[in-house]
Amino acid sequence: MIHPVQCRCGAFRARLEGRGPHNRVICYCADCQAFARALDKASETLDSQGGTEVVQVMQSRLRLEQGEEHLAVLRLSESGMLRWYAACCSTPIGNTMFNPRMSFIGLVHTCLDPARMDTDFGPGVAVANVKSALGEPKPQTRGFLGVLVRLVWIMASGYIRGSWRGSPLFDESGSPRAIPRTLTAEELANARRNP
């Protein structure tokens, strides 16, 4: 399988190669909502209740093709996840941990091909972190245990096999290829405001 990964304007392009364990999940957490709002991409990224669909895969399956210079990283706090995006058009790309040995990336649907989601990742979509969902009634949690088991498998197999070293997002020393920018307290407060 080769699934295209690209920003909205097309300046950044990558591909996801091969098959392997993955999760397809809609996350309603406040942090995913804040990420979309910080990039001014809430209308393109969030569903009507604030959910972001992500596909979690091993980072070593990701291959950069063009526009690596457009990759940028945002952190909501000093200890927060690395939230990758294409600076050329502020398209959210994906979320990783700061430690490259935790080798998954949650690719945000905005950089994936919507016509191929079911074919490449299956029609089953889990639902998580519903307490932060907007409005009532809240969505129902679905498939969380399976998501957790597969995520642990993705990280454990990447660590044991050493494939975490093949991430295109971190250099040989384990540092992110782009310097993370942490939101100021004011920026974070604005990003956390519900519409």
Side-chain angles (χ1 to χ4, degrees):
M1 179 197 73
I2 296 177
H3 189 99
V5 176
Q6 71 176 48
C7 68
R8 292 293 189 196
C9 75
F12 170 80
R13 293 178 187 269
R15 66 186 186 278
L16 189 62
E17 291 185 344
R19 298 211 175 266
H22 65 272
N23 284 315
R24 186 174 174 191
V25 60
I26 299 174
C27 180
Y28 288 92
C29 80
D31 286 352
C32 283
Q33 292 179 43
F35 178 43
R37 290 189 198 107
L39 296 177
D40 198 24
K41 295 295 179 183
S43 64
E44 298 170 23
T45 307
L46 305 178
D47 68 19
S48 62
Q49 289 192 276
T52 300
E53 185 173 351
V54 296
V55 175
Q56 296 172 328
V57 296
M58 198 172 295
Q59 289 177 39
S60 60
R61 291 179 57 195
L62 188 64
R63 303 282 184 269
L64 304 184
E65 295 180 332
Q66 77 174 39
E68 183 178 343
E69 68 275 13
H70 298 298
L71 267 180
V73 183
L74 191 69
R75 294 183 94 175
L76 302 181
S77 68
E78 289 295 332
S79 60
M81 294 183 84
L82 298 179
R83 296 181 181 273
W84 300 82
Y85 66 100
C88 46
C89 57
S90 296
T91 300
I93 302 296
N95 308 313
T96 67
M97 303 303 284
F98 190 79
N99 183 343
R101 288 176 176 83
M102 300 182 82
S103 59
F104 77 94
I105 182 169
L107 292 167
V108 179
H109 71 95
T110 51
C111 71
L112 301 172
D113 183 348
R116 294 180 48 183
M117 294 290 279
D118 287 352
T119 303
D120 291 349
F121 307 114
V125 183
V127 176
N129 302 313
V130 297
K131 287 183 182 176
S132 298
L134 307 176
E136 295 294 339
K138 303 286 187 201
Q140 295 295 307
T141 298
R142 181 176 67 233
F144 184 73
L145 183 58
V147 165
L148 188 59
V149 168
R150 282 185 297 275
L151 184 59
V152 169
W153 176 248
I154 290 168
M155 290 189 293
S157 62
Y159 183 78
I160 291 167
R161 291 188 302 189
S163 61
W164 61 270
R165 292 183 185 92
S167 171
L169 303 175
F170 294 87
D171 64 22
E172 295 76 24
S173 71
S175 297
R177 292 198 181 272
I179 298 171
R181 181 179 80 81
T182 303
L183 294 183
T184 66
E186 182 180 354
E187 288 173 323
L188 182 58
N190 287 336
R192 289 209 185 280
R193 271 198 197 99
N194 290 332

